[in-house]
Amino acid sequence: MKADSNGEKLWKKMMDDTIDAKPKTLDIANLTKDELDSLHKSDPFMYYSIPGVRMAAMFQKTIDHSDVTALCQGRAPRRADAP
């Protein structure tokens, strides 16, 4: 059975794009609350790559976009009963 040439071309393009992809980086230290809100909508993968956002999501906590320093450091939200 002969493989579809269009399918082969599409597969090759996808593999080439994956191999050539460069990792994205983002300095969030100077982002505003509105810019973080926009990032959440425009690039959710990058947004949830922020350590503090990821930790808050894991603990099902509300994410405070006004405290960018905490988001950068990835501080885990503390339990209410923690000392």
Side-chain angles (χ1 to χ4, degrees):
M1 186 168 151
K2 186 175 179 186
D4 178 22
S5 64
N6 286 336
E8 287 176 355
K9 288 177 188 176
L10 178 60
W11 179 256
K12 181 170 176 3
K13 178 170 178 10
M14 287 175 21
M15 292 305 295
D16 289 345
D17 290 348
T18 301
I19 292 169
D20 294 338
K22 293 186 174 48
K24 287 188 201 177
T25 59
L26 176 65
D27 180 10
I28 67 164
N30 296 317
L31 291 183
T32 65
K33 179 185 180 316
D34 292 335
E35 290 169 330
L36 281 170
D37 289 339
S38 176
L39 180 64
H40 185 208
K41 293 174 186 148
S42 66
D43 192 350
F45 185 81
M46 179 67 83
Y47 175 77
Y48 284 101
S49 295
I50 299 170
V53 171
R54 187 174 53 251
M55 290 294 280
M58 285 183 358
F59 289 102
Q60 299 179 348
K61 300 292 182 181
T62 303
I63 299 165
D64 181 9
H65 288 171
S66 64
D67 191 359
V68 176
T69 304
L71 293 177
C72 291
Q73 294 173 353
R75 284 188 245 152
R78 293 177 59 113
R79 293 188 335 247
D81 61 346

